[in-house]
Amino acid sequence: MSAAENTNQTPSYPTSLGTSTTEEISLMGQSLSEDLMGKVGFAELAFWMTATRRPTPGELRTFEAVLVALADHGFTPTAIAARLTYLSAPESIQGAIAAGLLGGGSRFLGVTEDTGRFLHQVLEADDGERSTDADFDSLARKAITRARAAKQIVPGLGHPVHKQGDPRTPRLIQIAEEGGTRGEHLRLFEAMGRVSEEVLGKKLPLNGAGVCGAALADLGLPVDFLRGFALLARTAGLLGQIAEERRNPIANDIYMHVDRNATFVPLTPDDSKEN
């Protein structure tokens, strides 16, 4: 159709999410005020909007447990970034939260998606029998061996603090089992924990970010979208960090400690070559 032929037509922008008129706001075909507000929790709404279906009670409990598990984990780089940005620009809460979220990558938060994607790819490529723990152990052993040979990091293994075991991991597995959502991704993840020492020669705990990725993948959520849920959870944590910074500020102490202890080191010829 030419531009001239389309001149008199009203443009259309299709969406299955929110629309509004002068009288009403609609979300996913429901009246926001009458059908959703006071009747649907925020976690259920987030799941519904992204998965395009309402979660079962067991799925919702697992999903909420994941959000709680990822909300805050102390003075991580994401929390420090948010606090320091708020120190620099206290008029911009959105900037402080954004600064924290931008740090959600391969070492913090992004592990959730990386683990879910890794597990999903292993399961997709496997055409063998998978029913017993021994079956999953065998599959995990092969996957870790391949990753090691390719000099790739196996996501979900190891933690800088919880070296003897991340307390979130067994609890989330228990919640998924109770809710009927413990599927192949979690079972493979558990198997990785059982065989990793045999393959890698050292004991590495299954970390909380990784188990969250496995649990989300078992809910049928897209594995290339899982980082979004980690960021959703951490947004609440960053808001809490900024609220605490307002009550009991420490960001200036962090800044001054680093600044006052900065030591000049002259460049060496080797340093110059790296650039």
Side-chain angles (χ1 to χ4, degrees):
M1 180 181 295
S2 67
E5 292 173 324
N6 193 43
T7 301
N8 296 323
Q9 290 192 359
T10 302
S12 175
Y13 304 97
T15 178
S16 299
L17 299 175
T19 58
S20 61
T21 66
T22 55
E23 297 85 17
E24 186 179 42
I25 301 173
S26 174
L27 183 58
M28 297 174 294
Q30 310 284 318
S31 168
L32 181 66
S33 57
E34 298 300 322
D35 300 328
L36 301 179
M37 291 174 63
K39 299 178 181 178
V40 175
F42 181 71
E44 181 178 2
L45 183 68
F47 186 105
W48 190 356
M49 291 179 68
T50 51
T52 68
R53 64 178 180 84
R54 299 187 75 164
T56 66
E59 289 175 329
L60 180 57
R61 183 166 181 248
T62 297
F63 185 66
E64 288 182 330
V66 167
L67 296 181
V68 171
L70 295 175
D72 187 76
H73 200 192
F75 288 128
T76 59
T78 60
I80 294 171
R83 287 189 181 236
L84 289 175
T85 303
Y86 184 75
L87 170 67
S88 181
E91 73 283 357
S92 179
I93 290 180
Q94 70 273 25
I97 292 176
L101 293 180
L102 288 173
S106 59
R107 292 185 178 177
F108 292 87
L109 289 181
V111 177
T112 295
E113 179 175 308
D114 296 342
T115 304
R117 188 194 298 267
F118 177 84
L119 296 170
H120 193 71
Q121 289 174 345
V122 171
L123 291 169
E124 286 275 287
D126 177 61
D127 56 3
E129 176 68 24
R130 298 194 299 263
S131 59
T132 67
D133 285 348
D135 294 332
F136 281 97
D137 286 355
S138 176
L139 183 57
R141 192 176 293 109
K142 294 175 184 176
I144 297 175
T145 300
R146 284 196 301 267
R148 185 184 187 187
K151 298 182 179 179
Q152 297 174 341
I153 294 175
V154 180
L157 290 179
H159 196 282
V161 177
H162 308 300
K163 297 185 181 297
Q164 302 306 314
D166 192 316
R168 296 170 294 179
T169 300
R171 178 58 177 148
L172 187 53
I173 293 171
Q174 178 188 7
I175 291 170
E177 177 68 27
E178 292 170 353
T181 68
R182 176 174 168 261
E184 290 196 319
H185 295 87
L186 272 172
R187 293 193 66 185
L188 178 58
F189 188 64
E190 293 171 59
M192 284 169 49
R194 291 192 294 267
V195 306
S196 62
E197 185 174 11
E198 169 191 336
V199 180
L200 301 176
K202 57 182 176 180
K203 182 67 174 177
L204 293 173
L206 296 172
N207 61 53
V211 75
C212 286
L216 291 173
D218 273 344
L219 295 180
L221 298 169
V223 293
D224 59 352
F225 198 65
L226 300 186
R227 189 172 301 188
F229 299 109
L231 295 174
L232 174 65
R234 188 53 57 92
T235 298
L238 292 175
L239 190 60
Q241 289 281 343
I242 296 168
E244 184 176 74
E245 181 65 25
R246 288 161 58 93
R247 297 191 306 269
N248 184 25
I250 63 166
N252 193 63
D253 293 338
I254 295 173
Y255 156 57
M256 292 302 296
H257 180 76
V258 175
D259 184 69
R260 293 303 88 194
N261 288 282
T263 304
F264 174 75
V265 178
L267 289 173
T268 67
D270 289 338
D271 292 327
S272 300
K273 290 178 182 178
E274 292 178 1
N275 295 324

